[in-house]
């Protein structure tokens, strides 16, 4: 996200302004705005999911305390749905219900489909999202830290193109797809986004002159 969006932003500003000094400023602003936005969105999403999961777990805890027999029958039914005989399911459910924490953990997994060790950390997700977006978004801006000229413009495009190829190829490889096809597809998407924003920037820039 950071790589493509900031590539488009940098080229859009480059196409629309006669003052190249604005390009690194716009790139840095896009990096920070995008990174904080992604982090905030990830935090809110993860926090909402975790709050809902914790509510469901607490509700299950109260049900285990208030209706242990009904919960034991429910657990037995779940085991029978997995292929156990009634006798086997009843015996296993009774054994599980002897320990409240084991019973709660089991009901979380079997009934709610939750893994108590994988509820996720909202802050961890937010920080990871911030860093990954920033890592991608900084690539198109790096050449402008050294010079603000045509060379920086070309270097930004080349560096970003290489990064797009690497990211696209890696993602395709991890998905057991063709790395070459994935790399070229990602490159095409990035270049198309940059070309469109550059063209729009040129049109707006000319109109405002």
């Amino acid at each position: 996200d950071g790589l493509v969006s900031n590539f488009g932003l940098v080229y859009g500003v480059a196409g629309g302004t006669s003052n190249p000094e604005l390009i690194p400023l716009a790139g840095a602003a896009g990096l920070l705005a995008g990174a904080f936005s992604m982090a905030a969105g990830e935090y809110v999403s993860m926090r909402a999911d975790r709050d809902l999961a914790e509510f469901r777990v607490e509700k299950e805890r109260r049900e285990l305390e208030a209706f242990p027999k009904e919960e034991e029958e429910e657990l037995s039914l779940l085991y029978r749905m997995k292929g156990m005989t009634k006798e086997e399911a009843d015996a296993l459910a009774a054994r599980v219900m002897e320990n409240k924490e084991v019973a709660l953990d089991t009901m979380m997994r079997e009934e709610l489909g939750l893994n108590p060790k994988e509820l996720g950390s909202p802050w961890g997700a937010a920080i990871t999202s911030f860093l990954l977006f920033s890592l991608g978004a900084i690539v198109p801006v790096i050449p402008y830290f050294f010079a603000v000229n045509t060379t920086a413009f070309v270097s930004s495009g080349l560096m970003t193109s290489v990064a797009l190829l690497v990211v696209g190829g890696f993602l395709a490889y991890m998905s057991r797809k063709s790395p070459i096809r994935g790399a070229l597809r990602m490159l095409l998407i990035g270049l198309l986004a940059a070309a469109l924003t550059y063209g729009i920037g040129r049109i707006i820039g000319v109109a405002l002159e």
Side-chain angles (χ1 to χ4, degrees), residues 87-132:
E87 292 73 19
E88 292 172 335
D90 288 345
L92 182 55
R95 181 68 178 272
V96 169
M97 294 296 290
E98 291 176 0
N99 186 307
K100 291 183 178 180
E101 290 305 315
V102 172
L104 178 61
D105 183 88
T106 302
M107 293 302 289
M108 285 174 62
R109 296 173 186 273
E110 300 294 342
E111 181 182 2
L112 304 181
L114 296 174
N115 186 336
K117 296 180 180 180
E118 297 180 357
L119 294 182
S121 167
W123 279 111
I127 292 171
T128 300
S129 182
F130 181 93
L131 293 176
L132 289 176

Side-chain angles (χ1 to χ4, degrees), residues 3-84:
L3 186 61
V4 175
S5 64
N6 224 32
F7 186 30
L9 176 62
V10 167
Y11 266 50
V13 174
T17 182
S18 58
N19 182 6
E21 297 290 339
L22 295 176
I23 300 174
L25 176 62
L31 184 157
L32 292 173
F36 278 114
S37 176
M38 291 290 291
E42 196 68 30
Y43 177 86
V44 170
S45 176
M46 182 68 75
R47 183 72 267 175
D49 287 345
R50 190 179 178 92
D51 286 346
L52 178 60
E54 290 174 350
F55 170 77
R56 295 174 67 192
V57 170
E58 187 57 33
K59 181 173 180 288
E60 190 65 37
R61 186 190 300 275
R62 291 195 299 267
E63 290 177 352
L64 282 167
E65 293 176 353
F67 312 106
K69 190 61 179 177
E70 289 80 356
E71 291 296 299
E72 181 177 332
E73 292 175 355
E74 186 176 348
L75 184 58
S76 175
L77 178 60
L78 290 172
Y79 286 140
R80 274 179 278 167
M81 291 174 63
K82 291 189 174 185
M84 292 186 181

